[in-house]
Amino acid sequence: MSAPGQSLKQTPLYNLHVQLGARLVPFAGYAMPVQYAGGIKHEHLHTRSHAGLFDVSHMGQVSLRGEPGALERLVPGDVVGLASGQQRYSLLTNEAGGIIDDLMITRFADRLHLVVNAAYKHSDFEHLQRALGDAVELTMQDDQALLALQGPAAAGVMAALCPAAAALNFMQGCRSAIGGMAVLVHRCGYTGEDGFEIAVAAAAAEDLARLLLAQPGVEPCGLGARDSLRLEAGLCLSGTDIDATTSPAEAGLNWTIARKYLGAAPHAAHFPGHLRILDEARHGAARARVGLAMRGRVPVRAGAELHDASGRVVGRVTSGGFGPTLDAPVAMGYVERALATPGTTLTVTIRDTRHELDVVALPFVPHRYKRA
């Protein structure tokens, strides 16, 4: 599982993963379950048809107390305009207009609740501290676990255990209780399915996970299924599909930019990289993220170069694998904008053999979020 001398952190659910027979792998410095006995394909399809429970406690949870406008200076989204209990997907950007990380922001009456990616949580926290200084009070909530319940059966589970959470719409959150345990619940997720992410005290995490797993239709799932579900949903993985060199326009994330900035003069915005980001939002970027469908059943992996009909390199794959819902290989990558139209045929070389693939619209599998 780890190299000699390498020390991996454990989430509060580590012992439960071992007891359930999970295969544990290193991920973002943690020993994380990649799959259980049924395998990744079973977990993937079970989540699409019932509900999967994922341990996402390795993610970073940050409490920010202070004026929401302070955080808005670091992201292109509208933080000030968030209503209490409303959640927003946004981006930490750099001065070059690239994406440092993506994050979820929820506004409550007394604070903002942020969830950032595991691999960047410490650098994100330092970035926020450095940029915001004494304007806010930041706390990394290492004493909290995070569970994700995803799939069409999730709403029924929450209706039985936490009616307040079941009443939420997509991208809303509330404080409540499940089985007597205090929780912070958001209706959101990373699979394209209706679902919930539940923050709970680390000491109560195993009791909560066991309670959820005891509900009809709920099974434990690992990182393998989470990644294949995420790819089918056409959602970006930070550090893989987006990074410090990728702009929101290139990634197809212009919808994260607040409307008040799109119609205003460039100097009206203050977030890092706003000149490039707003210019590309208005006029387009040189490349674009696209879906890629293989002709055949050979999957293409991240890093593979994409070629046009003349053999010229026109892009690169960032995520690739097999989509169990589609029973076919799928991928995402970046190509020159002129070649980003669905129906465009490209080629890729896999093990010295050239294969054709088609540019397709994202997502591969329609999202099933609960919207008002």
Side-chain angles (χ1 to χ4, degrees), residues 256-312:
T256 66
I257 302 172
R259 292 181 181 178
K260 60 187 176 184
Y261 296 142
L262 293 174
H267 65 267
H270 301 284
F271 59 86
H274 66 275
L275 292 178
R276 175 192 175 188
I277 291 170
L278 295 179
D279 179 71
E280 290 186 352
R282 290 167 178 143
H283 304 109
R287 60 175 186 157
R289 181 171 63 93
V290 296
L292 299 163
M294 296 293 294
R295 294 184 180 178
R297 297 185 65 80
V298 179
V300 60
R301 302 299 182 188
E305 291 182 338
L306 299 164
H307 303 262
D308 65 8
S310 70
R312 185 173 61 91

Side-chain angles (χ1 to χ4, degrees), residues 20-32:
L20 293 175
R23 184 163 75 85
L24 297 162
V25 299
F27 183 79
Y30 285 81
M32 297 295 295

Side-chain angles (χ1 to χ4, degrees), residues 13-14 36 46 64 91 106 110 132 156 168 199 213 217 224 262 270 282 285 287 312 318 355:
L13 296 180
Y14 176 83
Y36 296 83
H46 185 84
L64 187 156
L91 310 167
T106 308
D110 59 338
L132 301 179
L168 297 172
L213 289 170
L262 293 174
H270 301 284
R282 290 167 178 143
R287 60 175 186 157
R312 185 173 61 91
T318 52
H355 298 262

Side-chain angles (χ1 to χ4, degrees), residues 156-182:
V157 171
M158 296 305 283
L161 298 178
C162 185
L168 297 172
N169 284 313
F170 182 56
M171 301 297 276
Q172 291 181 334
C174 70
R175 294 186 175 95
S176 190
I178 298 177
M181 294 168 272

Side-chain angles (χ1 to χ4, degrees), residues 313-334:
V313 176
V314 296
R316 184 175 65 85
V317 173
T318 52
S319 287
F322 198 80
T325 309
L326 303 168
D327 192 30
V330 292
M332 293 193 301
Y334 287 85

Side-chain angles (χ1 to χ4, degrees), residues 12 57 59 61 113 141-146 182-184 199-203 205:
S57 301
M59 305 284 280
Q61 299 185 68
H113 180 77
Q141 298 185 297
D142 289 328
D143 59 343
Q144 295 285 301
L146 191 63
V183 294
L184 182 62
V200 65

Side-chain angles (χ1 to χ4, degrees), residues 221-248:
C221 297
L223 292 173
R226 189 170 182 237
D227 196 47
S228 58
L229 290 160
R230 186 271 309 171
L231 176 57
E232 285 187 343
L235 300 175
C236 292
L237 180 62
S238 187
T240 299
D241 302 297
I242 52 177
D243 60 28
T245 69
T246 312
S247 72

